[in-house]
Amino acid sequence: MNIIKELGAAKVVGITGHIRPDGDCTGSVLGLYNYLKDNAPDIDVNVYLEQPSDKLSYLNGFDAIKNVIEPDKKFDAFIVLDCSSIDRIEPFADGFKNADKTICIDHHISNDSFADVNNVIPTASSACEVLYDTFDAGKVSRNTAECIYTGIIHDTGVFKYSCTSFHTMEIAGKMMQMGIDYSDIIDNSFYKKSYVQNQILGRALLESVLFYDGKCIFSSVTRDEMDFYGVTGRELGGIIEQLRLTDGVEVAIFLYETGDNEYKVSLRSKKEIDVSRIAACFGGGGHIRAAGFNAKGTVYEIVNRIGEIIEQQYAQE
């Protein structure tokens, strides 16, 4: 796909990504925004997202993000990035539904091809990797390069996840050649944590529980605890990654409470378990090594059900 050719004569374009946007979602959305502003200046480009973390505010176009779609706004084309299903863009679904043409650029294996045109590469490391391959490489600016590099480092865990390929590193290297401050991007957007984030991370680790002969670990945070520390789900992202690093653990599970007996659940694995299959059993999705879903029940009910599915996967090997 060549994204500008795919847009054709479109004059008004909307761009969005999934709810609770992470580094890859924000990077891909703003990467496309910058690329179109640079190379298709006649297009009216509109970016819609739930507000991303301020840690990503260095990305050019961050201030152009709109949190709501203007009433009766009509789009010639509407592009969704890093999103596997239309319910994941719910706040902006009307813009998508009312557009003359819809395009999805994604890398989730669970993508259900919900747009008119779907460019979905499940083997890619990130939406930013898929997006970059729709660009003319010679027309990528430094601003766009920052966005693409950001998305890649976030969805590869700074190149350590199994989704990282030679092509991933090749793109990252090209972005580095554009003069971006790649080490600061890693430190300040991926690793940096506030004092409060460190506190709640410590609490989650202290109260974590090993099970299934030490192959699995889980921890959870209640709404009361989140209120006490003054954090939202957006600040809890580093917990699941730290749980995953526990010696001997194959699957890490982290839950935080979103309502009465309602939880947002994140899953990570190392080499053996396909957590996207687990998430699918709960109506969620994601990747083989990183997935998530929303669930109702107590923490132990949800974890016990996950444990049963993990045991089934081991039995099938």
Side-chain angles (χ1 to χ4, degrees), residues 245-283:
L245 293 174
T246 306
D247 187 30
V249 162
E250 166 62 21
V251 179
I253 307 162
F254 176 65
L255 312 87
Y256 69 84
E257 192 177 21
T258 57
D260 293 337
N261 273 348
E262 294 182 354
Y263 291 87
K264 175 73 174 68
V265 185
S266 296
L267 304 170
R268 298 290 186 274
S269 67
K270 290 180 180 174
K271 294 182 178 180
E272 298 172 336
I273 296 299
D274 180 350
V275 292
S276 70
R277 287 169 55 191
I278 299 173
C281 293
F282 292 86

Side-chain angles (χ1 to χ4, degrees), residues 107-109 155 161-163 240-241 244 266-270 273-276 279 285-292:
H107 68 127
H108 290 90
I109 195 170
D155 257 28
Y161 296 161
S162 60
C163 61
I240 185 67
E241 300 302 335
R244 192 188 72 89
S266 296
L267 304 170
R268 298 290 186 274
S269 67
K270 290 180 180 174
I273 296 299
D274 180 350
V275 292
S276 70
H287 309 287
I288 292 174
R289 303 287 173 240

Side-chain angles (χ1 to χ4, degrees), residues 99-119:
D100 292 336
K101 182 177 186 177
T102 58
I103 300 170
C104 178
I105 297 172
D106 187 29
H107 68 127
H108 290 90
I109 195 170
S110 54
N111 191 289
D112 57 11
S113 298
F114 58 92
D116 297 328
V117 177
N118 299 279
N119 188 23

